[in-house]
Amino acid sequence: MKTNTIVKILVDIGMTIILMLLMAYELVGRQAHEWLGMAMFALFILHHALNRKWSKNIFKGKYTLFRLFQTMLVIMILITMLGSMISGIMLSEYAFSFVKPGGGYEMFRNIHMLSAYWGFVLMSIHIGTNVGVMTAMIKKTKTYNLKFGRVIFVLVPILISCYGIYAFYKRLIWQYMFLISHFVFFDYNEPLVLFMADYLSVMVLFTTFGHYISRGLQSLSRMKIISNKKWRS
């Protein structure tokens, strides 16, 4: 595996871990949350620098359904990332404590909540659109090629996703995404590992969704290309 590919994978893993910790907010502490947010933004910039070839070609070539979906997803993630960073700076109590939002505190708090929870969901879907390299590696293993290997490979993410639906509802993530609730509730007596397990299951839910919707769009694009070739012939 090329060094560049390894670095990309490590950066993506780092972003995923930090994203999970950021969602724990009060459980990891506000000061840690701010520094984790800065680390996330730094890795986000590095991620795009490593994938600059994709960015350079954004206005080149034909757009399939999958490419359109992927591009719109990246744009929305960029918006949520900028929203999180700008509102985070305005609300900072430690790293940027010298910045005061004035009378806009409530507005920035709402922007931060919307950006954080929509960003979490959109980034999870984005992971699902890019798991092709990982799945290709898994398919080369001996375990995958055993009788039960393929069943486990498909079944485990689906089972976790089923619990993810429950966790999505239980953790009120859907309410935070639409500002139905303006305050995030944390159980300070709950072990961090249980909180992370629930959010991980929600991440798997949307990653699985992103993976299968990507496969569906790619299949539709291939069918369209084949039908166009038949029509021309």
Side-chain angles (χ1 to χ4, degrees), residues 34-216:
E34 290 188 19
W35 291 110
L36 284 167
M38 292 175 66
M40 181 67 170
F41 194 69
L43 287 178
F44 179 77
I45 293 172
L46 180 57
H47 172 83
H48 279 275
L50 291 168
N51 292 278
R52 57 188 177 278
K53 186 177 180 181
W54 183 91
S55 301
K56 286 180 180 178
N57 294 323
I58 194 169
F59 296 111
K60 298 177 182 178
K62 293 182 179 180
Y63 266 79
T64 61
L65 290 173
F66 170 68
R67 190 184 178 194
L68 181 63
F69 172 70
Q70 193 178 46
T71 303
M72 291 302 296
L73 196 58
V74 170
I75 292 170
M76 288 188 290
I77 290 171
L78 176 60
I79 292 170
T80 60
M81 185 62 69
L82 290 174
S84 292
M85 195 63 193
I86 294 170
S87 60
I89 291 172
M90 299 305 293
L91 298 171
S92 176
E93 297 176 2
Y94 299 96
F96 297 94
S97 57
F98 54 88
V99 179
K100 304 296 180 184
Y105 182 87
E106 190 71 23
M107 178 188 70
F108 285 116
R109 192 169 63 80
N110 288 338
I111 291 173
H112 199 69
M113 180 181 281
L114 284 171
S115 298
Y117 285 92
W118 276 101
F120 174 71
V121 170
L122 292 171
M123 282 185 227
S124 299
I125 295 173
H126 180 64
I127 292 170
T129 66
N130 291 280
V131 295
V133 176
M134 189 181 297
T135 54
M137 290 171 63
I138 292 172
K139 287 178 180 179
K140 291 179 182 179
T141 62
K142 291 181 180 180
T143 305
Y144 178 82
N145 290 295
L146 294 174
K147 290 182 179 179
F148 61 87
R150 297 187 182 187
V151 176
I152 292 174
F153 181 70
V154 174
L155 195 59
V156 169
I158 292 174
L159 290 175
I160 296 174
S161 297
C162 289
Y163 179 78
I165 296 171
Y166 167 73
F168 182 76
Y169 177 80
K170 182 183 77 170
R171 295 289 177 178
L172 305 179
I173 296 172
W174 60 282
Q175 291 192 12
Y176 304 146
M177 289 175 68
F178 295 98
L179 288 182
I180 296 171
S181 174
H182 289 257
F183 297 94
V184 181
F185 298 97
F186 291 96
D187 180 359
Y188 295 98
N189 296 317
E190 178 185 32
L192 179 61
V193 66
L194 294 181
F195 179 92
M196 298 288 278
D198 274 5
Y199 268 78
L200 180 60
S201 69
V202 175
M203 179 179 280
V204 171
L205 165 65
F206 286 103
T207 297
T208 303
F209 170 77
H211 174 64
Y212 282 108
I213 196 170
S214 296
R215 286 182 58 181

